[in-house]
Amino acid sequence: MVMRCPAEIGMSEAEVDTPALLVDLDAYEANLRLMAELTEGKVRVRPHAKTHKSPVIALHQIAQGAVGMCCQKVDEAIALVDGGVRDVLVSNQVVGAAKVLRLAALARRARIGVCVDAREQVEALAEAVERMGSSLDVLVEIDVGSRRCGVEPGEPALRLAERVEEEKGLRFGGLQAYYGSAQHIRDPGERREAVKRAAGLAGDTVLLLDRYGLRCDTVGGAGTGTFADEIELGAINEIQPGSYIFMDGDYRRNRVEGAPTYERFAQSLFVLSTVMSTRPEHAVTDAGLKALSVDSGLPDVHARSGSLYTGASDEHGVITHADGRPFQLGERVRLIPGHCDPTVNLYDWYVGVRTGRVEAIWPIPARGALH
Amino acid sequence: MVMRCPAEIGMSEAEVDTPALLVDLDAYEANLRLMAELTEGKVRVRPHAKTHKSPVIALHQIAQGAVGMCCQKVDEAIALVDGGVRDVLVSNQVVGAAKVLRLAALARRARIGVCVDAREQVEALAEAVERMGSSLDVLVEIDVGSRRCGVEPGEPALRLAERVEEEKGLRFGGLQAYYGSAQHIRDPGERREAVKRAAGLAGDTVLLLDRYGLRCDTVGGAGTGTFADEIELGAINEIQPGSYIFMDGDYRRNRVEGAPTYERFAQSLFVLSTVMSTRPEHAVTDAGLKALSVDSGLPDVHARSGSLYTGASDEHGVITHADGRPFQLGERVRLIPGHCDPTVNLYDWYVGVRTGRVEAIWPIPARGALH
């Protein structure tokens, strides 16, 4: 049930079995360093492991100054702690007795935080930490624009924070003010306006809580698409970017105007595929829906000017021939996934390559960590 | 890296950890029986394991009269043979030295077939079976309308079949004439016309090959959406349906007019999710893009009239409240995936339920079998 690794260290890229999830190590390492440069002395960085699902990568991020990791699921947090991460925030609500108990148990082995947006969640967490003899940091999630989870900023956040403070096994840690959808607003002006409104709501809520003696050590949020604006605005003191290490087609399609900081991050993640059939009008690669998530658009064809990936079925991808150079049967094609996070979730292994040679193989232990 | 199973046998459905991939066993078993009834004495059935990726389910299908299985990838075939299946057709081209060698090795342990659409593939297969001391059945894939893989019907198919016959380790087995895209033509009249054209092309090619002494023991193709028409037309003698055991939202959205046979198959596959956050205008479930493939549309909400799943992000699904009955925090919601095959590919376990109780747990060993 764990798939065989498609590569061996020392192989050339041409020998890797396909489809394979490639990490261009030069680009990846440059992305790690760039995030450290852009944030050092300005804001705490708690990268999102929902992108990579790997404690190996988490430890690289921590070595570059990250204070810990965030993730979305309890089983992702367990995989991170088992891999050596000592500080994990589940930046999400955890609902369900078994999940809450696993989270409380994990909190005996590492510093663990979690978000809430309802009193019932607070009560379930309190009961579980009492049972396990542990304690949790709790952030109140406020809805600053995503219209998904979170209580309203202001009074509702205050009331929920007070409820957290009543429980002795829970430490009120501050606010979660993540505005995921803002990152995918194409227009940089609109994106900045949205982030500014969100920062205002978060800032006002911090002040309100402060008046009631509730100190927000952490105001968390922001991702790859918004962190630069958020740092300037100053409402968030702990950013949670994920995609910056890999990047993807969706980020590439955001408008270049306004040159957002994230355009300095390089594409480091690829799906390596093989041409398995050719005809005069197109070629077919072996990477389809089971090798690439298409929720945010079809993949781009890397380094082959004029070639387009025009259709995905379960196990096939149709690509048009590149200008002036048709694809050959057996030829390798690097594809750029439309959306990195759910694409990573389809693989068991990263194959790290540098100048055409396999240099590192990293398992993806939180692949499929849905719980 | 194998995710913990979300259920125990004997549990109530309400105790299953979510998201979980549920199989309603009554509906599933009815689907198995219905396919046997509809096809017995009319056509050979070789169900497609790319849907379920499970030798347990394959053996259920064989017990209902299936002659063997088909699948798309070598590693899927290996998982099936390891699980007790003795006859597997890889209904796809296999390109790449390592893959071809694994296929040839597998052919020492079971009857294995594969499709080709280029001479280079024939030569690579011949070399591998010679090296492994095995033999393979080879079907020539013809393009009967999909415009994806396959040679043109007629002369090009004849030339490739002759090339197969020259190799002593390869047995020419007939034609692969699968027309996948026809299954998703919404209008039943158009769908039937497309299938009819395809059957004509396949039939003519069989006659041509026959004139040259090349007998097509197998003419394979057809899926859940087209097999009833194909049986009537008579060009295909071995059908390859996959989705019928589970069904999905995309099949449900095909037009009811004309009452295609596949509408008699019941929805047996669900993603069980939990409401993790609620607000006046919607609820949020814990099943998003990593729990459901949205390539063929968002999931449907089962058994909650008026409720719609309106948006998926990585780990969240927004659903509108059902008419007159808002969702409660912690409530369980069954979702019907838009597309069954790539959704199954996100899970390690099937949880089989009957009348609200867990009765079976089946691993999904070919989950992630991309090679």
Side-chain angles (χ1 to χ4, degrees):
Chain A
M1 295 176 62
V2 174
M3 283 299 131
R4 190 176 38 76
C5 180
E8 294 281 346
I9 288 179
M11 263 185 180
S12 79
E13 186 177 320
E15 294 171 282
V16 173
D17 207 354
T18 64
L21 193 64
L22 290 195
V23 177
D24 179 310
L25 294 171
D26 285 337
Y28 163 77
E29 289 164 7
N31 290 346
L32 285 176
R33 286 190 303 268
L34 178 57
M35 180 58 78
E37 279 165 34
L38 292 170
T39 56
E40 205 182 339
K42 294 178 185 164
V43 73
R44 298 200 299 266
V45 182
R46 181 181 289 278
H48 221 307
K50 82 186 178 80
T51 300
H52 56 66
K53 306 175 149 305
S54 154
V56 174
I57 293 178
L59 295 177
H60 294 167
Q61 291 171 315
I62 289 166
Q64 289 284 346
V67 297
M69 298 303 294
C70 52
C71 64
Q72 294 292 81
K73 298 286 183 170
V74 175
D75 284 358
E76 288 177 337
I78 292 172
L80 292 169
V81 171
D82 286 347
V85 179
R86 307 294 311 142
D87 183 338
V88 180
L89 168 67
V90 179
S91 53
N92 199 4
Q93 290 67 38
V94 175
V95 174
K99 286 186 181 69
V100 170
L101 201 65
R102 287 204 301 284
L103 189 75
L106 189 66
R108 292 193 61 97
R109 299 195 281 127
R111 178 163 194 145
I112 303 294
V114 63
C115 295
V116 295
D117 69 357
R119 298 171 70 89
E120 296 90 327
Q121 295 157 6
V122 176
E123 286 150 18
L125 291 168
E127 199 181 303
V129 293
E130 191 183 343
R131 186 162 155 201
M132 295 310 302
S134 61
S135 65
L136 286 164
D137 295 329
V138 178
L139 302 188
V140 169
E141 181 166 0
I142 57 173
D143 179 5
V144 291
S146 280
R147 316 312 294 165
R148 194 174 65 186
C149 301
V151 296
E152 294 296 317
E155 289 288 340
L158 171 64
R159 288 194 295 274
L160 193 56
E162 287 174 334
R163 184 68 192 83
V164 172
E165 278 283 277
E166 289 167 25
E167 297 292 345
K168 72 173 166 22
L170 306 180
R171 291 183 299 265
F172 172 69
L175 301 176
Q176 171 74 357
Y178 180 68
Y179 190 180
S181 51
Q183 302 190 70
H184 302 274
I185 297 174
R186 291 274 182 260
D187 182 87
E190 279 177 40
R191 188 164 56 230
R192 203 186 142 80
E193 271 314 298
V195 170
K196 204 169 158 182
R197 275 194 307 277
L201 293 167
D204 291 349
T205 306
V206 170
L207 291 176
L208 175 70
L209 268 64
D210 204 55
R211 285 208 298 279
Y212 285 82
L214 289 161
R215 189 189 151 79
C216 294
D217 284 333
T218 298
V219 185
T224 298
T226 51
F227 79 90
D229 287 339
E230 295 276 16
I231 290 175
E232 253 180 70
L233 291 161
I236 279 175
N237 64 15
E238 195 170 284
I239 63 168
Q240 301 167 346
S243 304
Y244 75 97
I245 51 163
F246 293 148
M247 301 307 282
D248 59 30
D250 192 61
Y251 272 116
R252 287 157 56 95
R253 283 185 284 274
N254 275 5
R255 283 200 195 171
V256 179
E257 305 163 30
T261 305
Y262 71 75
E263 289 181 11
R264 296 175 58 192
F265 293 99
Q267 186 65 41
S268 71
L269 188 79
F270 301 90
V271 168
L272 183 66
S273 70
T274 298
V275 173
M276 51 178 284
S277 181
T278 62
R279 33 203 304 168
E281 67 279 19
H282 68 240
V284 180
T285 78
D286 60 2
L289 296 173
K290 290 179 188 166
L292 290 151
S293 187
V294 301
D295 62 274
S296 301
L298 294 173
D300 295 319
V301 181
H302 176 67
R304 289 299 291 267
S305 168
S307 174
L308 294 174
Y309 187 110
T310 59
S313 44
D314 289 6
E315 312 281 6
H316 301 92
V318 173
I319 52 177
T320 60
H321 292 298
D323 292 347
R325 190 178 139 212
F327 290 103
Q328 303 301 309
L329 191 69
E331 189 172 345
R332 300 308 182 92
V333 181
R334 279 191 183 193
L335 302 169
I336 298 173
H339 189 179
C340 52
D341 305 26
T343 296
V344 169
N345 195 45
L346 300 170
Y347 290 85
D348 291 283
W349 304 93
Y350 290 109
V351 178
V353 294
R354 199 184 316 264
T355 57
R357 193 154 295 280
V358 176
E359 183 181 304
I361 289 171
W362 301 326
I364 310 180
R367 189 278 321 153
L370 295 168
H371 302 125
Chain B
M1 293 173 64
V2 175
M3 283 298 132
R4 190 177 38 76
C5 179
E8 294 282 347
I9 287 179
M11 263 185 181
S12 78
E13 185 176 321
E15 294 171 283
V16 173
D17 207 355
T18 64
L21 193 63
L22 289 196
V23 176
D24 180 309
L25 293 172
D26 285 336
Y28 163 77
E29 290 164 6
N31 290 345
L32 286 176
R33 286 191 302 268
L34 179 59
M35 181 56 78
E37 279 165 34
L38 292 170
T39 55
E40 205 180 341
K42 295 179 186 164
V43 73
R44 298 201 298 268
V45 183
R46 182 182 288 279
H48 221 308
K50 81 186 179 78
T51 301
H52 56 66
K53 305 175 149 304
S54 153
V56 175
I57 293 178
L59 295 177
H60 294 169
Q61 292 171 314
I62 289 167
Q64 290 284 346
V67 297
M69 299 302 295
C70 52
C71 64
Q72 295 291 81
K73 298 286 183 170
V74 175
D75 284 358
E76 289 176 337
I78 293 172
L80 292 170
V81 171
D82 286 348
V85 179
R86 308 293 311 143
D87 182 339
V88 180
L89 167 67
V90 179
S91 52
N92 201 4
Q93 289 69 38
V94 174
V95 174
K99 286 185 181 71
V100 170
L101 201 64
R102 288 204 302 283
L103 189 74
L106 190 65
R108 292 193 62 97
R109 298 196 280 129
R111 179 165 193 144
I112 303 294
V114 63
C115 295
V116 296
D117 70 356
R119 299 171 70 89
E120 296 90 327
Q121 295 157 6
V122 176
E123 286 149 20
L125 291 169
E127 199 181 301
V129 293
E130 192 185 341
R131 187 163 155 199
M132 297 308 304
S134 61
S135 66
L136 287 164
D137 294 329
V138 177
L139 302 188
V140 169
E141 180 165 1
I142 57 173
D143 179 6
V144 291
S146 279
R147 318 310 295 165
R148 195 174 63 185
C149 302
V151 296
E152 293 298 315
E155 290 288 339
L158 171 64
R159 287 195 296 275
L160 192 56
E162 287 174 332
R163 184 66 192 85
V164 172
E165 278 283 277
E166 290 167 25
E167 296 292 346
K168 71 171 166 22
L170 306 180
R171 291 183 299 266
F172 172 68
L175 300 177
Q176 171 74 356
Y178 179 69
Y179 189 0
S181 51
Q183 304 191 68
H184 302 275
I185 296 174
R186 291 274 182 261
D187 183 85
E190 280 176 40
R191 190 164 55 229
R192 204 185 141 81
E193 271 313 298
V195 170
K196 205 168 158 184
R197 274 194 308 277
L201 293 167
D204 291 348
T205 306
V206 169
L207 291 176
L208 175 70
L209 269 63
D210 202 55
R211 285 208 297 280
Y212 286 81
L214 289 161
R215 188 189 149 79
C216 293
D217 284 333
T218 298
V219 184
T224 298
T226 51
F227 77 90
D229 288 339
E230 295 274 16
I231 290 175
E232 253 180 70
L233 291 161
I236 278 175
N237 64 13
E238 195 170 284
I239 64 168
Q240 302 167 345
S243 304
Y244 75 97
I245 51 163
F246 294 149
M247 302 305 283
D248 60 28
D250 191 60
Y251 272 115
R252 288 157 56 94
R253 282 185 286 273
N254 275 5
R255 282 200 195 172
V256 179
E257 303 164 33
T261 306
Y262 71 74
E263 290 182 11
R264 296 174 59 191
F265 293 99
Q267 186 65 42
S268 71
L269 188 78
F270 300 91
V271 168
L272 184 66
S273 71
T274 299
V275 173
M276 52 179 283
S277 181
T278 62
R279 35 204 302 167
E281 66 280 18
H282 68 238
V284 180
T285 80
D286 59 3
L289 296 173
K290 289 178 188 167
L292 290 151
S293 186
V294 301
D295 62 274
S296 300
L298 294 173
D300 295 320
V301 181
H302 176 66
R304 289 301 290 267
S305 168
S307 175
L308 294 174
Y309 186 110
T310 59
S313 43
D314 288 5
E315 312 282 5
H316 300 93
V318 173
I319 52 177
T320 60
H321 292 298
D323 290 347
R325 191 177 138 214
F327 289 104
Q328 304 300 309
L329 191 69
E331 189 172 346
R332 299 309 181 94
V333 181
R334 278 191 184 194
L335 302 169
I336 297 173
H339 189 179
C340 52
D341 306 27
T343 295
V344 169
N345 196 44
L346 300 170
Y347 290 85
D348 291 284
W349 305 93
Y350 290 110
V351 178
V353 295
R354 199 182 317 263
T355 57
R357 195 155 294 281
V358 176
E359 183 181 304
I361 289 171
W362 302 325
I364 310 179
R367 189 280 317 153
L370 295 168
H371 301 124

